[in-house]
């Protein structure tokens, strides 16, 4: 049977692929998938349970754009936390996680043959979403410290450029792009008539300094910025699948067409969970963040012990490290598979995140400290066996 070209052009997620391989091996520990280990906070679970019992609307479709109360609450959050002014009626759409928001946006912006600039290493799913839309990813390497190379980005802009996609703070690098550099990109977007798509799923997780500025807060950029966010990582709601896209009305009217054709609406129980997350006790957020700070320190300390084998740029945000390996000249895919099969440790090959990621392994420290320690213990034993051999 014939498979569509758009599907043949994309690849399965390396993150999911490594997990599937590991499931067949058994007994593996993970530094792979970017999922915080925390359980959904009890007050969120209780609020959803109560809604399911007492509110008949909780099991039905919401409005396509999302529950009015949730859209209003998101607008309040954006205003208070990011100085972003949006109309909850016409400039916010609640989506099935940040991923659907990203895909609906890419499908709205990108036509066949259009180009999208990706500072690389970049989030792997951006690549597949662009290809699915018929677009062409244009990789521009980040600097050695995982910063934006504005001059190289400027040289990559062509008449076919339709967007640049930024994850800030960054997956997979843990970088936080400076506000002035993001603003400079937005000025380029105005000058060359393209869109800056900002993915802020990790905005709460910045280790030094303030949360990155959302460029949608600057009036001059409103027609050239589309902002994506999610509560998945922040409130341990990864399985609930609730996120949103915020943009000027002219964009939202078109993004909504894709959202309607794709999902109709975000799961209504998940929207109740999002409301409870926003309105409930925020101490859970502080506790989870504090734990991630400790896990970051642990992960970096374990990497420092292996300085003969790995080098890395300390992460400034999110919960990832891109570790450059020095013990092999093989591809990152081959190294990650060997580490998985021989040491039973899941990592993600850096090449999956674009050209700038080759020669690296992405390590997540979202897991529990005991898991991080066990994984590094296995890596140390594996490296020792290779060295002695």
């Amino acid at each position: 049977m014939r498979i569509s070209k758009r599907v043949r052009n994309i690849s399965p997620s390396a993150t999911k692929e490594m997990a599937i391989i590991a499931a067949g091996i058994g007994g593996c520990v993970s530094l792979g998938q970017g999922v915080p280990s925390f359980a959904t906070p009890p007050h969120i679970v209780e609020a959803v349970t109560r809604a399911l019992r007492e509110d008949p609307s909780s099991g039905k479709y919401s409005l396509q754009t999302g529950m009015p109360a949730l859209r209003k609450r998101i607008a309040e959050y954006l205003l208070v936390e990011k100085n972003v002014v949006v109309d909850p009626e016409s400039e916010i759409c609640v989506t099935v996680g940040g991923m659907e928001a990203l895909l609906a946006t890419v499908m709205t912006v990108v036509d066949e043959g259009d180009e999208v600039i990706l500072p690389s290493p970049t989030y792997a799913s951006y690549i597949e979403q662009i290809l699915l839309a018929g677009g062409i990813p244009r990789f521009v390497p980040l600097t050695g410290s995982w910063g934006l190379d504005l001059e190289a980005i400027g040289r990559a802009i062509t008449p076919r450029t339709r967007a640049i996609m930024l994850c800030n703070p960054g997956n997979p690098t843990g970088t936080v792009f400076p506000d002035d550099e993001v603003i400079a990109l937005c000025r380029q977007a105005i000058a060359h008539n393209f869109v800056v798509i900002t993915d802020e799923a990790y905005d709460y997780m910045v280790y030094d300094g303030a949360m990155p500025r959302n460029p949608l807060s600057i009036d001059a950029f409103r027609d050239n910025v589309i902002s994506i966010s999610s509560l998945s990582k922040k409130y341990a709601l990864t399985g609930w699948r609730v996120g949103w896209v915020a943009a000027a009305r002219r964009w939202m009217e078109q993004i909504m067409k894709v959202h309607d054709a794709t999902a109709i609406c975000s799961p209504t129980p998940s929207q109740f969970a999002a409301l409870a997350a926003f309105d409930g006790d925020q101490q859970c957020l502080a506790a989870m963040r504090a734990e991630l700070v400790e896990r970051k320190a642990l992960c970096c300390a374990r990497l420092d012990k292996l300085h003969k084998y790995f080098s890395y740029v300390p992460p400034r945000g999110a919960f990832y490290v891109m570790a450059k390996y020095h013990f092999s000249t093989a591809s990152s895919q081959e190294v990650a598979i060997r580490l998985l099969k021989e040491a039973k440790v899941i990592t993600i090959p850096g090449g999956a995140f674009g050209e700038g990621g080759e020669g690296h392994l992405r390590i997540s420290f979202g897991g529990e400290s005991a898991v991080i320690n066990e994984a590094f213990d296995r890596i140390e034993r594996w490296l020792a066996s290779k060295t002695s051999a």
Side-chain angles (χ1 to χ4, degrees):
M1 295 180 66
R2 181 179 176 275
I3 308 299
S4 72
K5 179 181 177 182
R6 71 178 65 86
V7 172
R8 293 199 308 271
N9 281 344
I10 64 175
S11 303
S13 161
T15 304
K16 311 303 186 296
E17 189 173 28
M18 294 298 287
I20 291 169
I21 296 171
I25 295 172
C28 297
V29 292
S30 181
L31 296 174
Q33 190 169 8
V35 177
S37 64
F38 313 111
T40 300
H43 71 274
I44 297 177
V45 176
E46 290 166 8
V48 175
T49 301
R50 186 167 56 252
L52 289 169
R53 287 175 176 159
E54 300 175 2
D55 187 341
S57 71
S58 63
K60 297 180 171 62
Y61 292 134
S62 75
L63 292 174
Q64 291 160 321
T65 49
M67 292 165 49
L70 179 55
R71 282 183 282 119
K72 181 181 178 181
R73 190 64 185 83
I74 292 170
E76 292 170 353
Y77 163 78
L78 290 173
L79 178 61
V80 172
E81 297 291 334
K82 305 193 178 194
N83 198 34
V84 172
V85 179
V86 286
D87 180 352
E89 293 299 318
S90 61
E91 296 182 322
I92 292 175
C93 176
V94 182
T95 57
V96 185
M99 285 292 289
E100 194 237 329
L102 286 162
L103 181 60
T105 298
V106 169
M107 297 296 287
T108 299
V109 171
V110 179
D111 265 331
E112 188 83 26
D114 287 344
E115 298 175 0
V116 179
I117 294 174
L118 296 176
S120 174
T122 187
Y123 180 45
S125 292
Y126 297 164
I127 303 168
E128 309 309 327
Q129 289 180 343
I130 293 164
L131 293 171
L132 189 62
I136 302 169
R138 293 298 186 200
F139 298 105
V140 177
L142 295 171
T143 67
S145 58
W146 301 137
L148 292 171
D149 187 336
L150 294 175
E151 290 186 3
I153 291 172
R155 292 192 297 270
I157 297 170
T158 76
R160 298 294 296 175
T161 301
R162 293 293 176 267
I164 183 169
M165 298 182 75
L166 292 179
C167 188
N168 191 26
N171 176 3
T173 60
T175 193
V176 178
F177 299 123
D179 292 344
D180 60 341
E181 293 184 357
V182 175
I183 289 171
L185 286 182
C186 292
R187 292 192 178 114
Q188 289 270 42
I190 291 174
H192 296 278
N193 194 31
F194 63 86
V195 175
V196 177
I197 302 171
T198 65
D199 179 355
E200 301 182 340
Y202 303 93
D203 59 1
Y204 73 105
M205 202 65 237
V206 177
Y207 299 107
D208 299 300
M211 183 186 297
R213 184 174 187 180
N214 185 319
L216 200 59
S217 65
I218 301 172
D219 287 343
F221 301 152
R222 284 188 63 83
D223 286 338
N224 294 83
V225 173
I226 298 175
S227 175
I228 311 295
S229 198
S230 164
L231 300 181
S232 291
K233 310 300 171 69
K234 188 172 185 176
Y235 290 98
L237 292 171
T238 53
W240 296 76
R241 311 311 304 132
V242 58
W244 71 82
V245 54
R249 182 195 297 257
R250 63 180 294 266
W251 283 117
M252 194 60 68
E253 288 174 347
Q254 307 308 315
I255 291 169
M256 272 301 304
K257 296 178 185 178
V258 184
H259 171 65
D260 182 39
T262 304
I264 301 177
C265 67
S266 173
T268 305
S270 300
Q271 295 187 55
F272 277 98
L275 269 174
F278 276 126
D279 293 337
D281 185 354
Q282 299 300 298
Q283 182 57 38
C284 64
L285 178 59
M288 290 188 286
R289 188 183 185 283
E291 180 63 29
L292 286 172
V293 170
E294 292 184 8
R295 294 176 187 180
K296 167 185 173 285
L298 172 62
C299 182
C300 290
R302 295 301 302 257
L303 279 170
D304 288 341
K305 286 182 62 179
L306 297 171
H307 61 88
K308 290 194 300 183
Y309 305 101
F310 293 100
S311 59
Y312 68 99
V313 177
R316 296 181 54 229
F319 40 82
Y320 306 104
V321 179
M322 280 289 269
K324 183 176 178 63
Y325 53 84
H326 303 291
F327 54 83
S328 175
T329 58
S331 71
S332 58
Q333 176 75 10
E334 182 179 340
V335 170
I337 292 292
R338 286 181 58 201
L339 191 57
L340 177 56
K341 291 183 175 180
E342 297 172 16
K344 294 192 175 184
V345 176
I346 305 172
T347 59
I348 308 301
F353 302 99
E355 297 165 4
E358 192 48 72
H360 296 75
L361 300 173
R362 192 195 74 174
I363 292 171
S364 168
F365 49 89
E368 296 177 356
S369 295
V371 172
I372 295 170
N373 273 322
E374 175 62 23
F376 275 102
D377 288 347
R378 295 185 185 189
I379 291 171
E380 286 182 358
R381 291 194 295 268
W382 181 73
L383 289 169
S385 70
K386 298 303 170 189
T387 303
S388 61

